Amino acid sequence: MAYTFSFEKLNVWVDSKELVKSIYLTTKDFSSEEKFGLTNQLRRASISITSYLAEGSSRNTDKDKAHFSTVAFSSLMEVLNQIIIAHELGFLSEKDYQKIRTVIEKISNKLSALRKSQLNRQTIKQINDKTIQPSW
């Protein structure tokens, strides 16, 4: 079996990857005139969530990791904004809109928890570093 990288073990990354697939399947039914509009924007924003999580997992400090979790959250809010607009324009059914919105809420909670955990680890490390420093 192939090596599993740390981001692949994150539940929030797995959920975000499923969101990407859902967005791709949903947007394939959008009108062709939206190919370079909402379709492209939704697909790019959803992929960026998983990409930022993967990139952040490779960073050395928890502060850097938390930064990428924050950017992933921003991309998630971009997706939310775009599905609201797609729904209001009639490109997205009520059922699909509610389904995607529920997934976004779940991911947003997990991203917030991940970021909080990363920042807490950073704070704990800073406290430990200060208490271990020699006083001379």
Side-chain angles (χ1 to χ4, degrees):
M1 180 164 168
Y3 178 79
T4 302
F5 289 88
S6 61
F7 72 88
E8 295 175 285
K9 299 172 188 173
L10 292 171
N11 289 331
V12 68
W13 180 82
V14 172
D15 292 346
S16 298
K17 183 173 56 87
E18 292 304 313
L19 175 63
V20 171
K21 293 193 288 189
S22 177
I23 292 293
Y24 265 76
L25 292 172
T26 302
T27 56
K28 75 178 175 66
D29 295 331
F30 281 17
S31 72
S32 60
E33 66 186 36
E34 282 304 314
K35 183 176 182 181
F36 300 106
L38 275 173
T39 300
N40 186 43
Q41 285 292 103
L42 267 164
R43 289 177 175 188
R44 292 180 68 172
S46 65
I47 288 175
S48 70
I49 300 164
T50 57
S51 298
Y52 283 122
L53 287 168
E55 186 174 355
S57 74
S58 71
R59 297 301 170 140
N60 289 327
T61 68
D62 289 314
K63 184 178 177 182
D64 279 346
K65 291 176 184 184
H67 168 73
F68 279 91
S69 295
T70 299
V71 178
F73 186 89
S74 297
S75 292
L76 182 66
M77 292 301 102
E78 184 179 352
V79 171
L80 175 59
N81 170 65
Q82 292 163 358
I83 68 154
I84 291 169
I85 292 168
H87 178 253
E88 290 180 3
L89 290 173
F91 298 136
L92 198 57
S93 71
E94 181 68 25
K95 180 182 174 187
D96 287 339
Y97 169 72
Q98 289 300 330
K99 179 181 168 189
I100 293 171
R101 190 169 178 116
T102 299
V103 172
I104 288 172
E105 184 176 339
K106 178 180 167 184
I107 294 169
S108 72
N109 291 333
K110 288 183 179 184
L111 279 172
S112 294
L114 176 62
R115 182 175 185 276
K116 183 177 179 181
S117 170
Q118 291 163 332
L119 290 174
N120 285 342
R121 284 194 310 261
Q122 180 69 26
T123 302
I124 290 168
K125 184 180 180 326
Q126 288 172 341
I127 290 169
N128 288 339
D129 288 348
K130 286 180 183 177
T131 59
I132 295 173
Q133 295 292 324
S135 58
W136 27 290

